[in-house]
Amino acid sequence: MTARLAVLVSGNGTNLQAILDACANGRLDAEVVVVLSNRKAAYGLERAALAGIPTEYLPLRPFLDTGRSRRDYDAELAAVLASHRPDWVVLAGWMHLLSAPFLHNFPNRVVNLHPALPGVFPGADAISEAWEAHVAGKLDSTGVMVHLVPDDGVDNGPVVGTVEVPIVANDSRETLEARIHAAEHELLVDCLSRLIDLDARRKRPYEGPIGVHHPTDATERRTAALPEASQ
């Protein structure tokens, strides 16, 4: 069964493009059913439109300006995506942290890409922090990981796959970033393919989100054991 992917982007959408290319050439048994951005000018929306894929735009600012909270925003975000019935939600350059009102609707089904290895450089400045550590003589390699998003924490959760990116003698920050992004494209597609294959082997395709609700509680690859997908 072809997997349905919802992809969240905040910027250029190069990782989205890698997913679209992999769907088109048969590397992924999947289709992107919606691309959503929190930024109207994100070129990822244009990439989706050019490919004939439905898009959604949901900015945070109107929620905050009208006295609503980040939790309210996340609940609305979940509702918008749920209408497209995704099997997997892919954060591909998405620049908002997601809270329980979103994550509880897609248990073990939100996949994040992060330009660092597990346990180091969490957050939005991972590439800069890795480069600064290298300049200080503390680091000779960095990497990329794909992981499932847990209910709390930043850039943690069960690791699906990693790839190491060495920092070479003639690197600049810009050349390092370019090689990290190239590694991201390859790893993300590889990990999505394995997750989709895992569903197929279990013969337990995901049946969609459990229903939008608002909880009251506040290059080498390695694969970790993944939790059973919630049904």
Side-chain angles (χ1 to χ4, degrees):
M1 179 180 295
T2 299
R4 298 171 61 85
L5 307 180
V7 183
L8 275 59
V9 300
S10 294
N12 190 269
T14 57
N15 285 303
L16 165 65
Q17 190 64 55
I19 293 171
L20 293 176
D21 292 344
C23 291
N25 65 28
R27 186 176 171 190
L28 279 180
D29 184 11
E31 62 173 327
V32 177
V33 296
V34 65
V35 173
L36 183 147
S37 182
N38 57 333
R39 296 178 180 173
K40 190 172 185 179
Y43 188 66
L45 292 176
E46 182 68 17
R47 291 180 189 273
L50 289 171
I53 295 167
T55 62
E56 301 276 5
Y57 168 55
L58 189 67
L60 172 62
R61 177 52 56 187
F63 282 76
L64 302 182
D65 287 348
T66 55
R68 291 174 289 175
S69 68
R70 280 294 302 271
R71 292 171 64 84
D72 294 327
Y73 174 83
D74 283 359
E76 177 65 19
L77 181 64
V80 170
L81 290 186
S83 69
H84 295 274
R85 299 181 296 107
D87 297 310
W88 295 94
V89 177
V90 184
L91 310 183
W94 174 255
M95 299 307 292
H96 273 331
L97 295 179
L98 296 169
S99 60
F102 181 89
L103 295 169
H104 284 186
N105 288 284
F106 304 97
N108 296 326
R109 291 286 162 166
V110 182
V111 180
N112 186 47
L113 175 69
H114 183 62
L117 294 174
V120 294
F121 308 129
D125 297 321
I127 296 176
S128 293
E129 291 176 10
W131 178 250
E132 290 166 5
H134 169 70
V135 170
K138 300 177 181 178
L139 196 71
D140 60 7
S141 68
T142 183
V144 178
M145 71 169 169
V146 172
H147 66 94
L148 302 183
V149 180
D151 285 352
D152 54 18
V154 178
D155 297 320
N156 56 6
V159 175
V160 182
T162 68
V163 60
E164 185 177 356
V165 179
I167 304 175
V168 299
N170 62 346
D171 256 336
S172 65
R173 188 202 177 284
E174 290 71 27
T175 60
L176 175 62
E177 182 170 2
R179 287 190 296 107
I180 288 173
H181 288 326
E184 286 179 337
H185 302 161
E186 181 70 15
L187 183 65
L188 180 58
V189 170
D190 179 63
C191 289
L192 286 173
S193 178
R194 288 191 285 115
L195 288 170
I196 291 167
D197 287 346
L198 182 62
D199 270 352
R201 290 197 302 273
R202 288 172 175 165
K203 297 182 180 178
R204 288 173 53 195
Y206 188 52
E207 295 177 353
I210 60 177
V212 174
H213 66 290
H214 199 302
T216 55
D217 358 322
T219 309
E220 176 188 18
R221 296 184 175 85
R222 296 179 284 110
T223 304
L226 299 176
E228 288 289 326
S230 298
Q231 297 295 307

